[in-house]
Coordinates of all heavy atoms in Angstrom, one line a residue:
M1 N 81.9 96.1 73.4 CA 83.3 96.3 73.8 C 84.0 94.9 73.7 O 83.5 93.9 74.3 CB 83.4 96.9 75.2 CG 84.9 97.1 75.6 SD 85.0 98.2 77.1 CE 85.2 97.0 78.4
V2 N 85.1 94.8 73.1 CA 85.9 93.6 73.0 C 86.8 93.5 74.2 O 87.6 94.4 74.5 CB 86.7 93.6 71.7 CG1 87.6 92.3 71.6 CG2 85.8 93.7 70.5
E3 N 86.7 92.4 74.9 CA 87.6 92.2 76.1 C 88.9 91.6 75.6 O 89.0 90.7 74.8 CB 86.9 91.2 77.0 CG 87.6 91.2 78.4 CD 86.9 90.4 79.4 OE1 85.6 90.5 79.4 OE2 87.5 89.7 80.2
Q4 N 90.0 92.2 76.1 CA 91.3 91.8 75.8 C 91.8 90.7 76.8 O 91.4 90.7 77.9 CB 92.3 92.9 75.8 CG 92.0 94.0 74.8 CD 93.0 95.1 74.9 OE1 93.9 95.1 75.7 NE2 92.9 96.1 74.1
A5 N 92.6 89.8 76.2 CA 93.1 88.7 77.1 C 94.1 89.3 78.1 O 94.8 90.2 77.8 CB 93.8 87.6 76.2
K6 N 94.1 88.7 79.3 CA 95.1 89.2 80.3 C 96.5 88.7 79.9 O 96.6 87.6 79.3 CB 94.8 88.6 81.6 CG 93.6 89.3 82.3 CD 93.5 88.8 83.7 CE 92.3 89.4 84.4 NZ 92.1 89.0 85.8
K7 N 97.5 89.5 80.2 CA 98.8 89.1 79.9 C 99.6 89.1 81.2 O 99.5 90.1 82.0 CB 99.5 90.1 78.9 CG 100.9 89.7 78.5 CD 101.2 90.2 77.2 CE 102.2 89.2 76.5 NZ 102.2 89.4 75.1
L8 N 100.3 88.1 81.5 CA 101.0 88.0 82.8 C 102.5 87.9 82.5 O 103.0 87.2 81.6 CB 100.6 86.8 83.6 CG 99.1 86.6 83.9 CD1 98.9 85.3 84.5 CD2 98.7 87.8 84.9
L9 N 103.3 88.7 83.2 CA 104.8 88.6 83.2 C 105.3 88.6 84.6 O 104.7 89.3 85.4 CB 105.3 89.8 82.4 CG 105.0 89.9 80.9 CD1 105.6 91.1 80.3 CD2 105.6 88.6 80.2
R10 N 106.4 87.9 84.8 CA 107.0 87.9 86.1 C 107.8 89.2 86.3 O 108.5 89.7 85.4 CB 107.9 86.7 86.2 CG 108.5 86.6 87.6 CD 109.3 85.3 87.6 NE 110.0 85.3 88.9 CZ 110.6 84.2 89.4 NH1 110.5 83.1 88.7 NH2 111.1 84.2 90.6
G11 N 107.7 89.8 87.4 CA 108.5 91.0 87.8 C 109.2 90.8 89.1 O 109.2 89.8 89.7
H12 N 109.9 91.9 89.4 CA 110.7 91.9 90.7 C 110.6 93.2 91.4 O 110.7 94.3 90.7 CB 112.2 91.6 90.4 CG 113.0 91.6 91.6 ND1 113.1 90.6 92.5 CD2 113.8 92.6 92.1 CE1 113.9 90.9 93.5 NE2 114.4 92.1 93.3
V13 N 110.3 93.2 92.7 CA 110.3 94.4 93.5 C 111.6 94.4 94.3 O 111.9 93.5 95.0 CB 109.0 94.4 94.4 CG1 109.1 95.7 95.3 CG2 107.7 94.4 93.6
S14 N 112.3 95.5 94.2 CA 113.6 95.6 94.9 C 113.3 95.8 96.4 O 112.2 96.2 96.8 CB 114.4 96.8 94.4 OG 113.8 98.0 94.7
S15 N 114.3 95.7 97.2 CA 114.2 95.9 98.7 C 113.8 97.4 99.0 O 113.2 97.6 100.0 CB 115.5 95.6 99.4 OG 116.5 96.4 98.9
S16 N 114.0 98.3 98.1 CA 113.6 99.7 98.3 C 112.2 99.9 97.8 O 111.7 101.1 97.8 CB 114.6 100.6 97.6 OG 114.5 100.5 96.2
G17 N 111.5 98.9 97.2 CA 110.2 99.0 96.7 C 110.0 99.4 95.3 O 108.9 99.6 94.8
R18 N 111.1 99.5 94.5 CA 111.0 99.8 93.1 C 110.5 98.6 92.3 O 111.0 97.5 92.5 CB 112.3 100.3 92.6 CG 112.7 101.6 93.2 CD 114.1 102.1 92.7 NE 114.5 103.3 93.3 CZ 114.3 104.5 92.8 NH1 113.7 104.7 91.7 NH2 114.7 105.6 93.5
L19 N 109.7 99.0 91.3 CA 109.2 98.0 90.4 C 109.3 98.5 89.0 O 108.9 99.6 88.7 CB 107.7 97.7 90.7 CG 106.9 96.9 89.6 CD1 107.4 95.5 89.6 CD2 105.4 97.0 89.9
S20 N 110.0 97.7 88.1 CA 110.1 98.1 86.7 C 109.0 97.5 86.0 O 108.7 96.2 86.0 CB 111.4 97.6 86.2 OG 112.5 98.3 86.8
L21 N 108.2 98.3 85.2 CA 107.2 97.8 84.4 C 107.7 97.3 83.0 O 108.5 98.1 82.4 CB 106.1 98.8 84.2 CG 105.4 99.3 85.5 CD1 104.4 100.4 85.1 CD2 104.6 98.2 86.1
P22 N 107.3 96.2 82.5 CA 107.8 95.7 81.2 C 107.5 96.8 80.1 O 106.4 97.4 80.2 CB 107.1 94.4 81.0 CG 106.7 94.0 82.4 CD 106.5 95.2 83.2
A23 N 108.4 96.9 79.2 CA 108.2 97.9 78.1 C 106.9 97.7 77.4 O 106.2 98.6 77.0 CB 109.4 97.9 77.1
E24 N 106.5 96.4 77.2 CA 105.3 96.1 76.5 C 104.1 96.6 77.2 O 103.1 97.1 76.6 CB 105.2 94.5 76.4 CG 104.0 94.0 75.7 CD 104.0 92.5 75.6 OE1 105.0 91.8 75.9 OE2 103.0 92.0 75.2
F25 N 104.1 96.5 78.5 CA 103.0 97.0 79.3 C 102.9 98.6 79.3 O 101.9 99.2 79.2 CB 103.1 96.6 80.8 CG 102.8 95.1 81.0 CD1 102.7 94.2 80.0 CD2 102.6 94.6 82.3 CE1 102.4 92.9 80.2 CE2 102.3 93.3 82.5 CZ 102.2 92.4 81.5
R26 N 104.1 99.2 79.4 CA 104.2 100.7 79.4 C 103.6 101.2 78.0 O 102.9 102.1 78.0 CB 105.6 101.2 79.6 CG 106.1 100.9 81.0 CD 107.4 101.6 81.4 NE 108.4 101.6 80.3 CZ 109.3 100.7 80.2 NH1 109.4 99.7 81.0 NH2 110.2 100.8 79.2
K27 N 104.0 100.5 77.0 CA 103.6 100.9 75.6 C 102.1 100.8 75.5 O 101.4 101.6 75.0 CB 104.3 100.1 74.6 CG 103.9 100.6 73.2 CD 104.7 99.8 72.1 CE 104.3 100.3 70.7 NZ 105.0 99.5 69.7
A28 N 101.5 99.7 76.0 CA 100.1 99.4 75.9 C 99.2 100.5 76.6 O 98.1 100.7 76.2 CB 99.8 98.0 76.5
I29 N 99.8 101.1 77.6 CA 99.0 102.1 78.3 C 99.5 103.6 78.1 O 99.1 104.5 78.8 CB 98.8 101.8 79.8 CG1 100.1 101.8 80.5 CG2 98.1 100.5 80.0 CD1 100.0 101.7 82.1
G30 N 100.4 103.7 77.2 CA 100.9 105.1 76.8 C 101.9 105.6 77.8 O 102.0 106.8 77.9
L31 N 102.7 104.8 78.4 CA 103.8 105.3 79.3 C 105.2 104.9 78.8 O 106.1 104.7 79.6 CB 103.6 104.6 80.7 CG 102.3 105.1 81.5 CD1 102.2 104.3 82.8 CD2 102.4 106.6 81.8
E32 N 105.3 104.9 77.5 CA 106.7 104.6 76.9 C 107.8 105.5 77.5 O 108.9 105.0 77.7 CB 106.7 104.7 75.4 CG 105.7 103.9 74.7 CD 104.4 104.6 74.3 OE1 104.0 105.4 75.1 OE2 103.9 104.3 73.3
R33 N 107.5 106.7 77.7 CA 108.5 107.7 78.3 C 108.2 108.0 79.7 O 108.7 109.0 80.2 CB 108.5 108.9 77.4 CG 108.8 108.6 76.0 CD 108.8 109.9 75.1 NE 108.9 109.5 73.7 CZ 110.0 109.8 73.0 NH1 111.0 110.4 73.6 NH2 110.1 109.5 71.8
G34 N 107.5 107.2 80.4 CA 107.2 107.5 81.8 C 105.9 108.3 81.9 O 105.3 108.7 80.9
G35 N 105.5 108.6 83.1 CA 104.3 109.4 83.4 C 103.8 109.2 84.8 O 104.3 108.4 85.6
V36 N 102.7 109.9 85.1 CA 102.1 109.8 86.4 C 101.1 108.6 86.4 O 100.3 108.5 85.5 CB 101.4 111.1 86.7 CG1 100.7 111.1 88.1 CG2 102.4 112.3 86.7
V37 N 101.1 107.9 87.5 CA 100.2 106.8 87.6 C 99.5 106.9 89.0 O 100.0 107.6 89.9 CB 100.9 105.4 87.5 CG1 101.4 105.2 86.1 CG2 102.0 105.2 88.6
V38 N 98.4 106.2 89.1 CA 97.7 106.0 90.4 C 97.9 104.5 90.8 O 97.6 103.7 90.0 CB 96.2 106.4 90.3 CG1 95.5 106.1 91.6 CG2 96.1 107.9 89.9
V39 N 98.4 104.3 92.0 CA 98.5 103.0 92.5 C 97.5 102.7 93.6 O 97.3 103.5 94.5 CB 100.0 102.8 93.2 CG1 100.1 101.4 93.7 CG2 101.0 103.2 92.1
E40 N 96.7 101.7 93.4 CA 95.5 101.4 94.2 C 95.7 100.0 94.9 O 96.1 99.1 94.2 CB 94.3 101.4 93.4 CG 93.0 101.1 94.1 CD 91.8 101.0 93.2 OE1 92.0 101.2 91.9 OE2 90.7 100.8 93.7
L41 N 95.5 99.9 96.2 CA 95.5 98.7 96.9 C 94.1 98.3 97.2 O 93.3 99.0 97.9 CB 96.3 98.8 98.2 CG 96.4 97.6 99.0 CD1 97.1 96.4 98.3 CD2 97.2 97.9 100.3
D42 N 93.7 97.1 96.7 CA 92.3 96.6 96.9 C 92.5 95.2 97.5 O 92.8 94.3 96.8 CB 91.6 96.6 95.6 CG 90.1 96.1 95.7 OD1 89.7 95.9 96.9 OD2 89.5 95.9 94.7
N43 N 92.3 95.1 98.8 CA 92.6 93.9 99.5 C 94.1 93.6 99.3 O 95.0 94.3 99.7 CB 91.7 92.8 99.2 CG 90.3 93.0 99.7 OD1 90.1 93.4 100.8 ND2 89.3 92.8 98.8
R44 N 94.4 92.5 98.6 CA 95.8 92.1 98.3 C 96.1 92.3 96.9 O 97.1 91.7 96.4 CB 96.0 90.7 98.8 CG 95.9 90.5 100.3 CD 96.3 89.2 100.9 NE 97.6 88.7 100.3 CZ 98.8 89.0 100.7 NH1 99.0 89.9 101.7 NH2 99.9 88.4 100.2
E45 N 95.3 93.0 96.1 CA 95.6 93.3 94.7 C 96.0 94.7 94.5 O 95.4 95.6 95.0 CB 94.3 93.0 93.9 CG 94.4 93.1 92.5 CD 93.1 92.8 91.8 OE1 92.8 91.6 91.7 OE2 92.4 93.7 91.2
I46 N 97.1 94.9 93.8 CA 97.6 96.2 93.4 C 97.3 96.5 92.0 O 97.6 95.7 91.1 CB 99.2 96.3 93.6 CG1 99.5 96.0 95.1 CG2 99.7 97.6 93.2 CD1 101.0 95.8 95.4
R47 N 96.7 97.7 91.8 CA 96.4 98.1 90.4 C 97.2 99.4 90.1 O 97.3 100.3 91.0 CB 94.9 98.4 90.3 CG 94.0 97.2 90.4 CD 92.5 97.6 90.1 NE 91.7 96.5 90.5 CZ 90.9 96.5 91.6 NH1 90.8 97.5 92.3 NH2 90.2 95.4 91.9
I48 N 97.7 99.4 88.9 CA 98.4 100.6 88.5 C 97.7 101.2 87.3 O 97.6 100.4 86.3 CB 99.9 100.3 88.2 CG1 100.6 99.7 89.4 CG2 100.6 101.5 87.7 CD1 102.0 99.1 89.1
R49 N 97.2 102.4 87.3 CA 96.5 103.0 86.2 C 97.1 104.4 85.9 O 97.6 105.0 86.8 CB 95.0 103.2 86.6 CG 94.4 101.8 86.8 CD 92.9 101.9 87.0 NE 92.5 102.6 88.2 CZ 91.3 103.2 88.4 NH1 90.4 103.2 87.5 NH2 91.1 103.8 89.5
T50 N 97.0 104.8 84.7 CA 97.5 106.2 84.4 C 96.5 107.2 85.0 O 95.3 106.9 85.2 CB 97.5 106.4 82.9 OG1 96.2 106.4 82.3 CG2 98.4 105.4 82.2
L51 N 97.1 108.3 85.4 CA 96.3 109.4 85.9 C 95.2 109.8 85.0 O 94.0 110.1 85.4 CB 97.1 110.6 86.3 CG 96.4 111.8 86.9 CD1 95.7 111.4 88.2 CD2 97.4 112.9 87.2
D52 N 95.5 109.9 83.7 CA 94.5 110.2 82.7 C 93.3 109.3 82.7 O 92.2 109.7 82.6 CB 95.1 110.2 81.3 CG 96.1 111.4 81.0 OD1 96.0 112.4 81.8 OD2 96.8 111.3 80.1
D53 N 93.6 108.0 82.8 CA 92.5 107.0 82.9 C 91.6 107.2 84.1 O 90.4 107.1 84.1 CB 93.0 105.6 82.9 CG 93.5 105.1 81.5 OD1 93.2 105.8 80.5 OD2 94.2 104.1 81.4
V54 N 92.2 107.5 85.3 CA 91.5 107.7 86.5 C 90.6 109.0 86.4 O 89.4 109.0 86.8 CB 92.4 107.8 87.7 CG1 91.7 108.2 89.0 CG2 93.2 106.5 87.9
V55 N 91.2 110.0 85.8 CA 90.4 111.3 85.6 C 89.2 111.0 84.6 O 88.1 111.5 84.9 CB 91.3 112.4 85.1 CG1 90.5 113.6 84.6 CG2 92.3 112.8 86.2
D56 N 89.5 110.3 83.5 CA 88.4 110.0 82.6 C 87.3 109.2 83.2 O 86.1 109.5 83.0 CB 89.0 109.2 81.4 CG 89.9 110.0 80.5 OD1 89.9 111.3 80.6 OD2 90.6 109.4 79.6
E57 N 87.7 108.3 84.1 CA 86.7 107.5 84.8 C 85.8 108.3 85.7 O 84.6 108.2 85.8 CB 87.3 106.3 85.6 CG 86.4 105.4 86.3 CD 87.1 104.3 87.0 OE1 88.1 103.8 86.5 OE2 86.7 104.0 88.1
A58 N 86.5 109.2 86.5 CA 85.8 110.1 87.4 C 84.9 111.1 86.6 O 83.7 111.3 87.1 CB 86.8 110.9 88.2
Q59 N 85.3 111.6 85.5 CA 84.5 112.5 84.7 C 83.3 111.8 84.1 O 82.1 112.3 84.1 CB 85.3 113.1 83.6 CG 86.3 114.1 84.1 CD 87.2 114.6 83.0 OE1 87.4 114.0 82.0 NE2 87.8 115.8 83.2
A60 N 83.4 110.5 83.7 CA 82.3 109.7 83.2 C 81.3 109.5 84.3 O 80.1 109.6 84.0 CB 82.8 108.4 82.6
L61 N 81.8 109.2 85.5 CA 80.9 108.9 86.6 C 80.1 110.2 86.9 O 78.9 110.2 87.1 CB 81.7 108.5 87.8 CG 80.9 108.3 89.1 CD1 79.8 107.2 88.9 CD2 81.8 107.9 90.2
S62 N 80.8 111.3 86.9 CA 80.1 112.6 87.2 C 79.0 112.9 86.2 O 77.9 113.3 86.5 CB 81.1 113.8 87.2 OG 82.0 113.6 88.3
R63 N 79.4 112.7 84.9 CA 78.4 112.9 83.9 C 77.1 112.0 84.1 O 76.0 112.5 83.9 CB 79.0 112.6 82.5 CG 79.8 113.8 82.0 CD 80.2 113.6 80.5 NE 81.1 112.5 80.3 CZ 82.4 112.5 80.4 NH1 83.0 113.6 80.7 NH2 83.1 111.4 80.1
R64 N 77.3 110.7 84.4 CA 76.2 109.8 84.7 C 75.4 110.3 85.9 O 74.2 110.3 85.9 CB 76.7 108.4 84.9 CG 77.1 107.7 83.6 CD 77.2 106.2 83.8 NE 78.0 105.8 84.9 CZ 79.4 105.6 84.9 NH1 80.0 105.8 83.7 NH2 80.0 105.2 85.9
L65 N 76.1 110.7 87.0 CA 75.4 111.1 88.2 C 74.6 112.4 88.0 O 73.6 112.7 88.7 CB 76.3 111.2 89.3 CG 77.0 109.9 89.8 CD1 78.0 110.2 90.9 CD2 75.9 109.0 90.4
L66 N 75.1 113.3 87.2 CA 74.6 114.6 87.0 C 73.7 114.8 85.8 O 73.2 115.9 85.5 CB 75.7 115.7 87.0 CG 76.5 115.7 88.3 CD1 77.7 116.7 88.2 CD2 75.7 116.0 89.5
A67 N 73.6 113.7 85.0 CA 72.8 113.8 83.8 C 71.4 114.3 84.0 O 70.7 113.8 84.9 CB 72.8 112.4 83.1
G68 N 71.0 115.3 83.3 CA 69.7 115.9 83.3 C 69.4 116.8 84.5 O 68.3 117.3 84.7
K69 N 70.4 117.0 85.4 CA 70.2 117.9 86.6 C 70.6 119.3 86.2 O 71.6 119.5 85.6 CB 71.0 117.4 87.7 CG 70.5 116.0 88.3 CD 71.3 115.6 89.5 CE 70.7 114.3 90.0 NZ 71.4 113.8 91.1
R70 N 69.7 120.2 86.5 CA 70.0 121.6 86.3 C 70.9 122.2 87.3 O 70.9 121.7 88.4 CB 68.7 122.4 86.3 CG 67.8 122.0 85.1 CD 66.6 122.9 85.1 NE 67.1 124.2 84.8 CZ 66.3 125.3 85.0 NH1 65.1 125.2 85.3 NH2 66.9 126.5 84.7
N71 N 71.7 123.2 87.0 CA 72.6 123.9 87.9 C 73.6 122.9 88.6 O 73.8 123.0 89.8 CB 71.8 124.6 89.0 CG 70.8 125.7 88.4 OD1 71.2 126.3 87.4 ND2 69.7 125.8 89.0
A72 N 74.1 122.0 87.8 CA 75.0 121.0 88.3 C 76.5 121.2 87.9 O 77.3 120.3 88.0 CB 74.5 119.6 88.0
S73 N 76.8 122.4 87.3 CA 78.2 122.6 86.9 C 79.0 123.1 88.1 O 78.5 123.5 89.1 CB 78.2 123.7 85.8 OG 77.9 125.0 86.3
V74 N 80.3 123.1 87.9 CA 81.2 123.6 88.9 C 81.0 125.0 89.1 O 80.9 125.5 90.3 CB 82.7 123.3 88.4 CG1 83.7 124.0 89.4 CG2 83.0 121.9 88.4
D75 N 80.7 125.8 88.1 CA 80.4 127.2 88.2 C 79.2 127.4 89.1 O 79.1 128.3 90.0 CB 80.2 127.9 86.9 CG 81.5 128.1 86.1 OD1 82.6 128.1 86.7 OD2 81.5 128.1 84.9
D76 N 78.1 126.6 88.9 CA 76.9 126.7 89.7 C 77.2 126.4 91.1 O 76.7 127.1 92.0 CB 75.8 125.8 89.1 CG 75.3 126.2 87.8 OD1 75.2 127.4 87.5 OD2 75.0 125.3 87.0
F77 N 78.0 125.4 91.4 CA 78.4 125.0 92.7 C 79.1 126.1 93.4 O 78.8 126.5 94.6 CB 79.2 123.7 92.7 CG 79.8 123.3 94.0 CD1 79.0 122.7 94.9 CD2 81.1 123.7 94.4 CE1 79.5 122.3 96.2 CE2 81.6 123.3 95.6 CZ 80.8 122.6 96.5
L78 N 80.1 126.7 92.7 CA 80.8 127.8 93.3 C 80.0 129.0 93.6 O 80.1 129.7 94.6 CB 82.0 128.2 92.4 CG 83.1 127.1 92.3 CD1 84.1 127.5 91.3 CD2 83.7 126.8 93.6
K79 N 79.0 129.4 92.7 CA 78.1 130.5 92.9 C 77.3 130.2 94.2 O 77.1 131.1 95.0 CB 77.2 130.6 91.7 CG 77.8 131.3 90.6 CD 76.7 131.4 89.4 CE 77.4 131.7 88.1 NZ 76.5 131.6 87.0
E80 N 76.8 129.0 94.3 CA 76.0 128.6 95.5 C 76.8 128.8 96.8 O 76.3 129.3 97.8 CB 75.5 127.2 95.4 CG 74.5 126.8 96.4 CD 74.0 125.4 96.2 OE1 73.6 125.1 95.0 OE2 73.9 124.6 97.1
R81 N 78.1 128.3 96.8 CA 78.9 128.4 98.0 C 79.2 129.8 98.3 O 79.2 130.2 99.4 CB 80.2 127.6 97.8 CG 80.1 126.1 97.6 CD 79.7 125.4 98.9 NE 78.4 125.5 99.3 CZ 77.3 124.8 98.8 NH1 77.4 124.0 97.8 NH2 76.1 125.0 99.3
K82 N 79.5 130.6 97.3 CA 79.8 132.1 97.5 C 78.6 132.8 98.1 O 78.7 133.6 99.0 CB 80.1 132.7 96.1 CG 80.7 134.1 96.2 CD 81.2 134.5 94.9 CE 81.9 135.9 95.0 NZ 82.4 136.3 93.7
A83 N 77.4 132.4 97.6 CA 76.1 133.0 98.2 C 76.0 132.6 99.7 O 75.5 133.4 100.5 CB 74.9 132.5 97.4
D84 N 76.4 131.4 100.0 CA 76.3 130.9 101.4 C 77.2 131.8 102.3 O 77.0 131.9 103.5 CB 76.8 129.5 101.6 CG 75.7 128.5 101.0 OD1 74.6 128.9 100.7 OD2 76.1 127.4 100.7
W85 N 78.3 132.3 101.8 CA 79.3 133.1 102.6 C 79.0 134.6 102.7 O 79.7 135.3 103.4 CB 80.7 132.8 102.1 CG 81.2 131.4 102.5 CD1 81.2 130.3 101.7 CD2 81.7 131.1 103.8 NE1 81.6 129.2 102.4 CE2 82.0 129.7 103.7 CE3 82.0 131.7 104.9 CZ2 82.5 129.0 104.8 CZ3 82.5 131.0 106.0 CH2 82.8 129.7 105.9
K86 N 78.1 135.0 101.9 CA 77.7 136.5 101.9 C 77.1 136.8 103.2 O 76.3 136.0 103.8 CB 76.8 136.8 100.8 CG 77.5 136.9 99.4 CD 76.6 137.4 98.4 CE 77.3 137.5 97.0 NZ 76.4 137.9 96.0
E87 N 77.5 138.0 103.7 CA 76.9 138.4 105.0 C 75.4 138.7 104.8 O 75.1 139.3 103.8 CB 77.7 139.6 105.5 CG 79.1 139.2 105.9 CD 79.8 140.3 106.7 OE1 79.1 141.0 107.4 OE2 81.0 140.5 106.4
P88 N 74.6 138.4 105.8 CA 73.1 138.7 105.7 C 72.8 140.2 105.7 O 73.5 141.0 106.1 CB 72.5 138.0 106.9 CG 73.6 137.5 107.8 CD 74.9 137.7 107.0

């Protein structure tokens, strides 16, 4: 994987908390026309990621954690929970 150089631009947060993202940044992550993002606070660092990127990351993690495990699908999980709720 080729690592991209970081790009820094100065921004401004209004008193109401609004932040405008530079067009170049929006284009780079596919938000030219806006979209849903996830804002994460990690100590004093704020990260803004697209919802699609967050979902992709969660799915990749799930695949790694469940690799090779039988009966690990959502359908299998729901069947198991349903069986737990059946009356004896």
